[in-house]
Amino acid sequence: MIHRPAAACLAMAALAAVLLAGCSKVPDTIRIGVAQPLSGPLAALGQDLLNGVNLAVAELNQGGYMVDGKRVTLEVVPVDDKADAATGKAVARQLVDAGVVAVIGHLNSGVSIEAAPVYSAAGLAQLAISTNPRFTQLGFANTFRLVGNDTLQARALGSFAATQLAAASYAVLDDGTPYGKGLADGAFEQLKAAGKEVAVRKSFDDKTVAFDGLAAELKAAKVEVVVSTLNDFQALALLQGLQKVGHTRVSLLGGDTIKTTDMVRASGMVDGVYATSPVLEAKEFATGKPFLEKYLVAYQKAPAYGGHYTYDSMYVLSAAIQKAKSADPAEIVKALHGINGYAPVIGTMSWDDKGEQRYGAVGVYQLRKGAWELRMRSDRW
């Protein structure tokens, strides 16, 4: 038997470890795509969602992120979908070509739905805050929703409007997008089922701000509650129109696109302004305060929308990559389907076989004294 010196054995072991590391299938850098509206009217919301990912990635990299025993650098590849479906599809192709392993995007349901086939063809996980039910009904295994969907939110809109804002006459308005129209249709059916009169039911596009004629129509119909899925800048234009015609004894109940910092300008314009949202505020969670403090230090402003959801989703995605022990998109998708991921702010993220968030809920908020205050929250409605 030949006896090698201990030092020689140690040297050979070290060399073997180096060679094994060199053969690792895990790359030195793993690229994560982020597709959100970074320009236009929804830029503040899109930037907030990007900020959440950037904050998480900075922390993960600083903490020495490892995949299958190898130190890896995470890199964010951001693109601007301009809240436009055609642009969303184009930037989805850009992200595929850029070699990202997963995508956190998009905000708008119409954009997510249009881009989904591109990501599916490339096998990339798509984690979206979009709420239209159709997003997870496309039959793709790679679609994952971060919050509750519009079916639940429509029930919240209709139920709250019918029971908490009881009125003789209602209006239901939407912005013509898949998100807005689907949500408004659901709220309309809920109101009809509750025996409420919907005197005005109208659709617009998502850029319309000329609402003087609509304001006069609402006054003539003696509408007391407006259920709307218009964007915040559109809702503000409508309220200004109502002021012009002297019809301000009205309550406005909107979707989550009016629950923004810009919308605080609506304080005092009408009797009440309310918003439903599946995007619960970070401050509502016990672990939300540390996130808010870190966000403020990083960006010198408070979150505008749902940055804590993209922050959490990045942590869950990073755990899925570690579980897969690979940067292979198909393995990451598989890992996401089987994970009950730790989410630093909201607690946990987990998906059913269709990609629906298991722990989604919808809150109703009231605009009071220049801030949004939670009125009630439920996962059942």
Side-chain angles (χ1 to χ4, degrees):
M1 180 179 291
I2 299 174
H3 297 279
R4 293 188 178 91
C9 290
L10 288 172
M12 292 178 67
L15 177 61
V18 169
L19 291 172
L20 285 171
C23 295
S24 172
K25 294 181 180 179
V26 179
D28 295 333
T29 300
I30 294 178
R31 311 186 87 192
I32 309 297
V34 178
Q36 304 293 349
L38 303 178
S39 62
L42 299 182
L45 280 62
Q47 186 62 53
D48 180 46
L49 296 171
L50 173 58
N51 287 348
V53 179
N54 281 333
L55 186 57
V57 165
E59 292 174 358
L60 287 162
N61 283 336
Q62 187 176 8
Y65 182 64
M66 306 279 288
V67 178
D68 197 22
K70 178 179 178 178
R71 177 75 177 267
V72 171
T73 298
L74 295 169
E75 178 186 342
V76 177
V77 182
V79 292
D80 180 9
D81 66 26
K82 303 182 187 297
D84 175 74
T87 304
K89 191 172 184 178
V91 299
R93 293 194 186 100
Q94 289 177 23
L95 289 175
V96 171
D97 291 342
V100 303
V101 302
V103 176
I104 298 175
H106 303 246
L107 167 62
N108 304 81
S109 293
V111 181
S112 281
I113 290 167
E114 187 70 17
V118 178
Y119 300 131
S120 178
L124 299 179
Q126 179 187 4
L127 295 90
I129 206 164
S130 304
T131 52
N132 190 291
R134 189 176 163 223
F135 172 62
T136 54
Q137 294 170 357
L138 296 170
F140 301 139
N142 62 304
T143 53
F144 300 88
R145 198 191 309 276
L146 303 183
V147 294
N149 66 26
D150 285 346
T151 301
L152 183 62
Q153 191 175 0
R155 291 203 300 267
L157 275 167
S159 176
F160 187 84
T163 62
Q164 305 298 313
L165 303 175
S169 181
Y170 293 78
V172 177
L173 314 173
D174 70 69
D175 67 354
T177 64
Y179 156 79
K181 193 170 189 313
L183 189 56
D185 284 345
F188 175 81
E189 293 301 326
Q190 192 84 3
L191 285 168
K192 297 296 285 185
K196 301 299 181 179
E197 180 188 350
V198 179
V200 178
R201 173 71 181 100
K202 286 185 176 291
S203 292
F204 301 87
D205 65 35
D206 59 354
K207 296 176 178 60
T208 298
V209 291
F211 289 122
D212 288 355
L214 173 62
E217 184 179 354
L218 295 177
K219 181 178 180 180
K222 299 180 179 179
V223 167
E224 299 171 88
V225 175
V226 178
V227 177
S228 159
T229 59
L230 299 171
N231 292 302
D232 56 357
F233 65 96
Q234 295 179 296
L236 284 166
L238 174 58
L239 295 184
Q240 290 165 356
L242 290 172
Q243 284 186 319
K244 288 180 186 177
V245 299
H247 187 58
T248 58
R249 300 303 305 270
V250 175
S251 290
L252 172 72
L253 172 62
D256 48 307
T257 52
I258 73 163
K259 189 180 168 291
T260 65
T261 51
D262 284 349
M263 196 65 192
V264 300
R265 290 185 286 156
S267 295
M269 294 178 72
V270 291
D271 278 357
V273 178
Y274 305 84
T276 59
S277 181
V279 180
L280 307 177
E281 291 193 26
K283 66 182 180 183
E284 296 175 41
F285 298 94
T287 52
K289 187 177 179 181
F291 166 81
L292 292 170
E293 291 172 346
K294 290 185 292 187
Y295 190 103
L296 188 59
V297 169
Y299 304 111
Q300 304 301 304
K301 60 182 177 181
Y305 182 56
H308 50 300
Y309 281 90
T310 51
Y311 173 85
D312 279 1
S313 70
M314 186 61 236
Y315 267 95
V316 175
L317 176 58
S318 72
I321 295 170
Q322 289 176 323
K323 181 179 180 180
K325 296 183 179 181
S326 169
D328 179 1
E331 293 301 314
I332 295 169
V333 168
K334 188 186 301 183
L336 283 169
H337 274 293
I339 203 168
N340 190 8
Y342 165 66
V345 179
I346 70 170
T348 187
M349 281 187 179
S350 177
W351 294 272
D352 65 16
D353 57 350
K354 292 183 179 179
E356 288 289 353
Q357 182 60 230
R358 294 184 189 276
Y359 305 111
V362 174
V364 180
Y365 302 81
Q366 183 176 8
L367 190 58
R368 298 185 64 186
K369 299 178 180 179
W372 290 104
E373 295 182 4
L374 180 67
R375 280 285 302 269
M376 59 180 64
R377 180 175 73 196
S378 177
D379 61 354
R380 298 181 183 275
W381 287 104

